Amino acid sequence: MQGNFFVIMQRLGKALMLPIAVLPVAGLLLRPGQPDVFDIAYVTKAGPTLFDNLPLLFAIGISGGLAKDNHCAASPAINASQLAAACLDALGGGKNLIRVDACITRLRLGIVDMEMIRESALKKLGAMGVIKRGDSGLQVIIGTQAEIIASEIRELVNQ
């Protein structure tokens, strides 16, 4: 029991290393760019940018640190609209989609041309699987953010 506790604490410590290591850097970037020191605009913006995105950095760091076999589960932390845009590209673009739906963990798609689907790109984006259903049906197992991603894809297609 005690050995298991230390293993868990080691994994937690490893997971917190990235986010905690960023804090001093963010703090150091807050001051040097100010007008009364070096007056460098991009350095002035870098510190607050890191602080504004600390929840994202913690999510990525912790999910990566706690993941087994270096399979980072940080995809939910990534901006949904960016992920949707990348998925849309891997699906062959908006003109290749007949319909976009979601069901719990899957995108359920109607596809014009299955040859345009880039499965390897979808898997690099975090898809756990791609299932072809007939000539035009496609399911992409993307996780619990499937409904959000589907909504973002619909917005991108309708623009």
Side-chain angles (χ1 to χ4, degrees):
M1 178 75 177
Q2 187 177 8
N4 192 28
F5 173 76
F6 287 114
V7 169
I8 292 169
M9 294 312 293
Q10 282 181 323
R11 288 182 67 203
L12 182 61
K14 177 185 163 196
L16 291 171
M17 285 187 343
L18 169 70
I20 290 174
V22 169
L23 287 174
V25 173
L28 289 171
L29 288 173
L30 283 174
R31 186 71 183 122
Q34 298 299 320
D36 62 330
V37 182
F38 293 119
D39 195 22
I40 306 171
Y42 65 88
V43 174
T44 302
K45 293 177 184 177
T49 300
L50 283 172
F51 276 112
D52 291 345
N53 291 303
L54 276 179
L56 178 64
L57 291 172
F58 268 82
I60 292 170
I62 290 172
S63 65
L66 295 179
K68 293 182 180 179
D69 301 326
N70 293 324
H71 293 115
C72 186
S75 61
I78 296 173
N79 186 326
S81 61
Q82 292 174 332
L83 182 57
C87 284
L88 182 59
D89 183 55
L91 292 167
K95 292 183 179 180
N96 198 35
L97 299 178
I98 300 168
R99 65 178 164 70
V100 179
D101 294 311
C103 179
I104 305 174
T105 60
R106 297 175 184 217
L107 295 175
R108 295 178 183 257
L109 308 158
I111 302 296
V112 174
D113 182 5
M114 286 288 193
E115 297 294 319
M116 294 180 70
I117 304 300
R118 295 192 337 264
E119 284 187 44
S120 61
L122 289 167
K123 288 183 178 179
K124 283 182 183 177
L125 292 169
M128 292 154 255
V130 178
I131 303 165
K132 294 179 181 176
R133 300 271 186 192
D135 293 335
S136 63
L138 185 74
Q139 294 182 6
V140 180
I141 305 168
I142 198 92
T144 55
Q145 73 274 21
E147 184 58 50
I148 297 166
I149 301 299
S151 175
E152 292 285 337
I153 289 174
R154 284 190 292 265
E155 283 185 30
L156 288 169
V157 170
N158 291 330
Q159 286 180 352

